[in-house]
Amino acid sequence: MPREFQFQVSPEVAANESLLAQHVAKLIQVSPKEIQKVVVLKRSIDARQKAIKFNIKANIFLVGELYTPTSVELPDYPNVATKQEVIIVGAGPAGLFAALQLIELGLKPILIERGKDVRGRRRDLKAINVDGIVDEDSNYCFGEGGAGTYSDGKLYTRSKKRGDVDRILEIFVGFGATPDIMVEAHPHIGTNKLPQIMQDMREKIISCGGVVMFETRVTDFVIKNNEMQGVVLRNGDVISASKVILATGHSARDIYELLHRKGVHIEAKSFALGVRAEHPQELIDQIQYSCDYRGEFLPPAPYSIVKQVNGRGMYSFCMCPGGVIAPCATSPGEVVTNGWSPSKRDQPTGNSGIVVELKMEDFKPFEKFGPLAGMEFQKSIEQKAWHLAGETQKAPAQRMIDFTQSKVSQSIPKTSYVPGTTPIEMGEVFPGFIAQIMREGFTQFGKSMRGYLTNEAILHAPESRTSSPVRIPRDDFSLEHVQIKGLYPCAEGAGYAGGIISAAIDGEKCAIKIAEILNK
C-alpha cells in the first residue's frame, strides 16, 4: 500500500521528478532506488518566507508495491434522442454541465445559446478589440462556453460547500484539460485551451442525442397558471417543455427585463464594482516572491488583498498573472473591462479587478426601476465611461498614484487593453463615495504590498461585471423558482454562483433535481 506524506520542497525540486524522488527517499530514510513512484496529489506555493517552498501532498510507492497509473474516465453518457426533453437557456459552464448531467440521467437537453459557437465568437472578439464594434449576442460574455471561455478559465472556488469540485475537474480532464488541474491549488486552463474543451463537450451532447442551438435568442417564456410551458425564440418559434433551466449569465439584462415585465419575481442584489489595475508582472513577482527575478521554476505570481475602508470591503477580484485586459461590453454605448490569462501566463503584465463592495442603499437614485435598480446603477457607470473616454471602446485610464492624488495623468503608456485608453480622472467615472474609498484603499494596499502603489500601475475603468446585480429567487430544496413551477434559475445569472466551477456545480444540481421529478 502506498503511504501518503506531506512535505515542503524547493521550486527546483518540485519541478523535477528525479529530484523529488531523491527528496522523498531521504525523508522516509530509504535508498532512492527503492522509490518506484511519487504521485503528487496536491501542490501549492508557500511564499511567506524568503526561501519559497512548494507544499506537496503525495502518495509514495516503493519498489514491489502495486502501482497502476490512474486515468480519468468520463461518465457513461447514453443516447437520449427519444427521451423527455428539458430546455437549457445559456451554453456557459452551467448550461453545458447541466446538459451533460441530464444525459447521464437519461434526459434529453435542448441547449439554446444566443451567441455563436466557440470558434465563431473569435471574429466578434476581434471586432470589439480592433474596431470597437459590439455584437450584442456574440462577445466576451455571450456565446458557447460563456464568459469564462475567453476571459481566463480559472477553475477554483473559495466555497467548499457548493458540491463536488473534484468531479467537475475530472470531467474537464476527461474532455482534454491537463491532469495538473487536479493537483494545483489554483487550477487554470487558460483562454487559449478552453475553446477546444467546450467544443468537445458540445459534440458529446449532440452525439448522445441532445440538441444545441446557436445564434438563437429566447425572447419570451410560455407560462400558464404559474407553470413553465416552454420558450419563445426571436424568430417566433416556440419550444415546449415543462422544465427550463435558466443559465444565462450575469450580463443577460434582457432576460431580467423580460422576467420583470411578465411579473415574475426577481430581486435587486448587491455586487461589487471598481477598476482593472495592471502592473508589470515582474513587479508583482518581486513583491510576492521577495526577489529580483523569480527564476524558471516559479510561476508568475498572483496576489489577493482585502481591506476595509470606511465600512466597506475593497478587494482584488479575478487576478490574472501574466495576462491582459479585455473589452467586455455587451451593448453599444458602454465600456466594460475584464481580464484573462493564456495557459502559460506568459504576458509581461498582470492585472486584477480592484472592486468596492456596494450596498442596496447605493441604488436609491434608481429605485424607480424596482428590482432592476442595481442593474441600472451598473449600466449608468458603464455608459459614463464610454462617453468620457471618447465614445469608442477606449477605456478611461489613470496612473495609480495620480488617482490617489486626484490628478489626471499626463500620459498613459500602452497597456494590454487593445482598444486603447483615454486619460481621465476616475472621480468623473464613479460616484464620489466609490472614488474616495478606492483612493484610500490603494494607499492601504501600498502599505501591505510595498511597491504595489506606483505610477507604473495603470487603472482601467470600469470593472463592473463581478456578479449579477439581480437575484432570481428559488426554493432552497427544489431549486425551482419561488413563483414559477418548472423554472430553475441557475448559476451566476440567477445570483447563485461565481465562476466556472461553482456555475458548473450549480448546473449539475439543477439537472439532478429535474431528473428526480421526471424519472419517477
Side-chain angles (χ1 to χ4, degrees):
M1 289 288 291
R3 288 174 286 177
E4 183 178 294
F5 287 90
Q6 296 190 48
F7 50 90
Q8 288 190 324
V9 295
S10 69
E12 182 180 7
V13 171
N16 187 293
E17 192 171 335
S18 175
L19 293 177
L20 188 61
Q22 291 177 37
H23 178 89
V24 167
K26 187 175 181 180
L27 181 71
I28 63 176
Q29 298 182 326
V30 299
S31 166
K33 294 180 180 179
E34 293 184 56
I35 303 294
Q36 178 187 180
K37 186 70 176 177
V38 179
V39 178
V40 177
L41 304 175
K42 292 293 178 184
R43 178 170 51 226
S44 63
I45 297 175
D46 184 348
R48 292 173 296 179
Q49 306 298 324
K50 190 165 186 179
I52 297 170
K53 300 290 186 181
F54 273 74
N55 298 314
I56 303 287
K57 181 166 78 170
N59 277 337
I60 313 303
F61 291 83
L62 299 179
V63 172
E65 294 179 335
L66 179 62
Y67 165 67
T68 304
T70 57
S71 60
V72 172
E73 293 185 4
L74 288 171
D76 180 22
Y77 294 120
N79 190 286
V80 294
T82 61
K83 301 299 183 180
Q84 189 162 352
E85 296 177 348
V86 175
I87 293 172
I88 304 169
V89 186
L96 288 166
F97 274 81
L100 290 168
Q101 181 68 272
L102 287 171
I103 291 171
E104 193 177 345
L105 297 171
L107 296 171
K108 178 179 178 178
I110 308 293
L111 188 54
I112 304 171
E113 169 56 49
R114 67 191 293 171
K116 297 178 182 177
D117 66 66
V118 74
R119 304 294 176 187
R121 292 174 70 183
R122 289 179 173 175
R123 180 177 298 175
D124 300 311
L125 299 186
K126 181 180 179 182
I128 191 173
N129 273 289
V130 177
D131 303 316
I133 298 172
V134 180
D135 185 319
E136 292 185 304
D137 290 317
S138 179
N139 44 62
Y140 276 97
C141 291
F142 300 144
E144 183 177 23
T149 297
Y150 285 110
S151 57
D152 206 46
K154 291 183 180 66
L155 296 180
Y156 55 91
T157 175
R158 290 182 176 90
S159 175
K160 301 302 180 185
K161 300 178 181 179
R162 295 190 186 274
D164 190 347
V165 173
D166 283 346
R167 171 183 157 86
I168 301 300
L169 295 176
E170 286 172 0
I171 290 175
F172 271 116
V173 172
F175 279 103
T178 171
D180 285 349
I181 66 172
M182 300 292 299
V183 172
E184 301 296 343
H186 294 118
H188 171 259
I189 293 179
T191 292
N192 54 319
K193 292 189 174 182
L194 261 174
Q196 185 63 49
I197 293 169
M198 296 298 168
Q199 179 177 312
D200 291 347
M201 287 183 175
R202 175 234 306 167
E203 290 175 353
K204 172 60 73 173
I205 292 167
I206 294 172
S207 71
C208 291
V211 175
V212 181
M213 305 169 68
F214 293 114
E215 300 181 68
T216 306
R217 191 195 285 205
V218 170
T219 57
D220 202 357
F221 299 109
V222 182
I223 301 172
K224 293 183 180 178
N225 300 321
N226 281 344
E227 293 188 5
M228 285 297 302
Q229 303 287 311
V231 300
V232 181
L233 308 182
R234 182 159 42 187
N235 65 4
D237 289 351
V238 176
I239 301 179
S240 299
S242 63
K243 307 294 180 187
V244 175
I245 295 176
L246 193 60
T248 48
H250 58 39
S251 294
R253 290 169 172 166
D254 58 314
I255 293 295
Y256 300 139
E257 292 166 346
L258 170 62
L259 293 171
H260 188 44
R261 282 198 310 271
K262 294 183 74 69
V264 176
H265 183 57
I266 60 176
E267 302 168 347
K269 173 184 153 297
S270 61
F271 58 105
L273 180 146
V275 296
R276 271 270 149 189
E278 180 171 274
H279 289 77
Q281 182 59 47
E282 185 177 21
L283 175 59
I284 297 300
D285 292 341
Q286 291 168 358
I287 295 170
Q288 295 298 85
Y289 292 146
S290 301
C291 63
D292 293 330
Y293 171 63
R294 75 168 187 266
E296 62 179 304
F297 301 112
L298 284 171
Y303 65 85
S304 177
I305 191 165
V306 181
K307 295 292 180 182
Q308 286 292 316
V309 185
N310 298 338
R312 306 227 185 192
M314 176 171 162
Y315 57 93
S316 58
F317 171 83
C318 184
M319 198 275 154
C320 301
V324 303
I325 300 176
C328 292
T330 52
S331 294
E334 65 188 27
V335 168
V336 180
T337 65
N338 199 350
W340 61 269
S341 301
S343 58
K344 292 183 179 180
R345 293 180 163 174
D346 55 0
Q347 300 302 299
T349 54
N351 68 80
S352 180
I354 305 295
V355 295
V356 173
E357 168 194 12
L358 298 180
K359 300 179 180 179
M360 298 301 292
E361 63 206 50
D362 301 329
F363 308 147
K364 273 197 170 182
F366 300 88
E367 60 186 356
K368 69 179 182 180
F369 295 101
L372 302 180
M375 185 183 85
E376 293 297 328
F377 174 91
Q378 179 190 60
K379 189 189 298 184
S380 71
I381 291 175
E382 295 169 357
Q383 291 173 345
K384 185 182 290 186
W386 179 79
H387 175 72
L388 289 171
E391 300 188 349
T392 66
Q393 280 302 303
K394 285 187 175 182
Q398 193 170 12
R399 293 177 183 267
M400 188 181 286
I401 292 178
D402 288 348
F403 171 62
T404 64
Q405 298 175 352
S406 303
K407 296 188 331 189
V408 176
S409 301
Q410 293 302 304
S411 65
I412 301 291
K414 184 177 180 181
T415 73
S416 68
Y417 185 78
V418 173
T421 59
T422 300
I424 297 289
E425 207 298 287
M426 291 296 184
E428 296 185 52
V429 179
F430 299 102
F433 76 94
I434 293 179
Q436 187 56 35
I437 288 171
M438 287 196 293
R439 292 189 215 283
E440 295 181 24
F442 278 121
T443 300
Q444 290 188 32
F445 281 18
K447 293 176 182 177
S448 296
M449 294 176 61
R450 297 200 177 277
Y452 182 88
L453 180 60
T454 171
N455 261 351
E456 285 189 80
I458 309 300
L459 308 182
H460 303 64
E463 165 70 78
S464 50
R465 305 287 178 94
T466 55
S467 67
S468 171
V470 174
R471 174 170 283 110
I472 308 174
R474 68 188 188 190
D475 180 82
D476 290 341
F477 176 75
S478 71
L479 305 187
E480 282 184 301
H481 186 268
V482 293
Q483 174 191 358
I484 307 300
K485 189 174 178 61
L487 176 62
Y488 292 78
C490 183
E492 287 208 51
Y496 293 99
I500 291 175
I501 292 292
S502 57
I505 289 172
D506 205 50
E508 287 201 335
K509 285 166 61 177
C510 289
I512 289 168
K513 288 296 184 180
I514 290 172
E516 288 174 357
I517 296 171
L518 297 184
N519 288 339
K520 283 183 179 178

